[in-house]
Amino acid sequence: MLYFLIFPLALLLNSVAAWVSLHLKSATTFIVYLKNLVAADLIMTVIVPIKAASDMPGASTALFILSCYLSSFLYSTLYTCIALLGLISLDRFFKIMMPYSKMFSSVTFSKVVSGLVWVSVFGGSALPNIILNDKSVANMTEISSCMALKGEAGYAAHENTVIFMNVFFWLISMVIAVCYICITNKVIQSFRNSGSNNNQGKQKIKLRVFLVLIVFFVSFGPYHVIRIPYTFQQVNYSSTTSCSYLLGKFGKEITLWFATTNICMNPLLYVFLCREFKEELRSLMKSLSVSFHVVFVGKADSNIPPTKL
């Protein structure tokens, strides 16, 4: 039910974000990363209701099996989002700390890196698990866990993938934290060197950094704390009805939901952090408002007979 609750909001916010990003020119590395992040959020948004429906009581076995395959896309897209958030933090870091670096400010470079992220994350996490869901489902009338589709090789691949991606997340987390802390110190130092006493500006910078970090860690942190212990339970426990297994599954599912709420938070961060995105959103909303006024208000006015002078 929690997934169904966030789906309409996520669909609305990410549809607007996609609409705005389509009108943005890929003239900077930041915009390139932002567009890829919007695409990743949209993919996750589409998968969310299918996952939710498959977990409902009375869901068909076919729907549950479909959800198992789509979950591989969900996880790989989740880590694509994490990688892109890391690239955005690095992009801001290099622009402020190394403004004369041409390589990292190249749009072509950002497109290549974004493409490599999509290919490597999908190829390294989703594809092996999709291929190794190789057990026959013809005789399965009821299935309660996606692990039932895996053989021994699938179990090993699943465990290794989870451990690797968990390490990947904490590395990206350190990169993001270090980048934003360095950026904050650099900007505040610039204020001091210029002799400015703009305390309000300093507070805004600190607030932005705090918001980015808190959104990132609140969304993804709990899931990655509980994910590895739960994976060991999945692989090593034969019983899927024991209290410890069910408690671990509940913890994993609720923290995964927190991780997916990031698809609602990212569009708000675009407005908060990207001036081009904010300006384009305002421009498009203004155009939409004018069009609405012309179509509906103008039509209503045309039905009023002209006043005789």
Side-chain angles (χ1 to χ4, degrees):
M1 294 307 298
L2 289 174
Y3 282 109
F4 282 126
L5 283 174
I6 67 167
F7 173 66
L9 180 61
L11 185 62
L12 174 64
L13 291 174
N14 285 289
S15 297
V16 172
W19 179 52
V20 174
S21 66
L22 287 173
H23 290 81
L24 291 174
K25 292 182 180 179
S26 301
T28 64
T29 52
F30 184 88
I31 297 299
V32 172
Y33 296 138
L34 185 144
K35 286 186 174 184
N36 280 273
L37 189 56
V38 170
D41 286 338
L42 272 174
I43 293 172
M44 288 184 65
T45 301
V46 171
I47 296 174
V48 158
I50 300 173
K51 173 176 171 50
S54 70
D55 288 334
M56 295 292 286
S60 67
T61 302
L63 179 61
F64 190 86
I65 292 171
L66 173 64
S67 174
C68 289
Y69 284 98
L70 288 178
S71 290
S72 298
F73 289 95
L74 179 70
Y75 288 118
S76 69
T77 311
L78 178 72
Y79 286 104
T80 299
C81 286
I82 291 170
L84 289 167
L85 288 168
L87 287 172
I88 286 173
S89 66
L90 282 171
D91 179 69
R92 298 173 76 87
F93 174 84
F94 285 120
K95 282 179 179 175
I96 293 173
M97 307 297 289
M98 302 169 60
Y100 300 107
S101 175
K102 292 184 178 180
M103 177 181 176
F104 297 107
S105 61
S106 167
V107 173
T108 303
F109 174 79
S110 64
K111 289 179 179 179
V112 171
V113 171
S114 298
L116 287 173
V117 166
W118 282 98
V119 172
S120 58
V121 173
F122 177 76
S125 61
L127 194 59
N129 284 286
I130 291 172
I131 293 172
L132 293 172
N133 283 345
D134 53 359
K135 278 194 175 180
S136 175
V137 297
N139 297 323
M140 289 187 181
T141 57
E142 187 176 346
I143 179 172
S144 59
S145 171
C146 294
M147 297 300 288
L149 301 175
K150 300 181 186 293
E152 288 187 13
Y155 271 66
H158 178 77
E159 184 177 7
N160 292 333
T161 300
V162 168
I163 293 171
F164 176 79
M165 299 312 289
N166 209 291
V167 172
F168 174 76
F169 165 76
W170 292 112
L171 287 174
I172 295 292
S173 299
M174 286 191 291
V175 168
I176 290 175
V178 169
C179 284
Y180 279 110
I181 290 170
C182 290
I183 289 168
T184 305
N185 290 335
K186 177 73 173 179
V187 175
I188 291 175
Q189 189 63 43
S190 297
F191 275 120
R192 289 173 181 168
N193 292 339
S194 65
S196 172
N197 293 321
N198 187 358
N199 292 324
Q200 187 177 1
K202 293 177 185 178
Q203 291 302 321
K204 282 184 178 180
I205 292 164
K206 291 178 181 178
L207 178 62
R208 286 184 180 185
V209 171
F210 175 77
L211 277 176
V212 170
L213 294 178
I214 201 71
V215 166
F216 184 84
F217 284 106
V218 167
S219 294
F220 300 121
Y223 172 73
H224 288 90
V225 168
I226 203 168
R227 186 62 170 119
I228 287 183
Y230 173 70
T231 299
F232 288 149
Q233 285 184 317
Q234 277 185 306
V235 173
N236 298 317
Y237 284 21
S238 58
S239 174
T240 59
T241 57
S242 65
C243 288
S244 59
Y245 177 84
L246 292 175
L247 185 63
K249 184 176 182 179
F250 174 78
K252 174 256 182 180
E253 289 295 341
I254 197 69
T255 54
L256 178 60
W257 178 80
F258 269 109
T260 56
T261 59
N262 194 254
I263 60 179
C264 296
M265 298 178 190
N266 280 341
L268 302 178
L269 286 179
Y270 306 152
V271 176
F272 192 67
L273 297 176
C274 182
R275 179 176 52 82
E276 294 92 339
F277 187 92
K278 187 191 299 184
E279 290 176 354
E280 189 63 37
L281 177 61
R282 284 176 178 170
S283 175
L284 289 170
M285 292 302 290
K286 186 177 180 180
S287 300
L288 189 64
S289 176
V290 170
S291 299
F292 178 85
H293 182 84
V294 169
V295 171
F296 292 98
V297 179
K299 184 177 180 180
D301 290 344
S302 66
N303 294 326
I304 300 173
T307 303
K308 293 182 180 180
L309 296 176

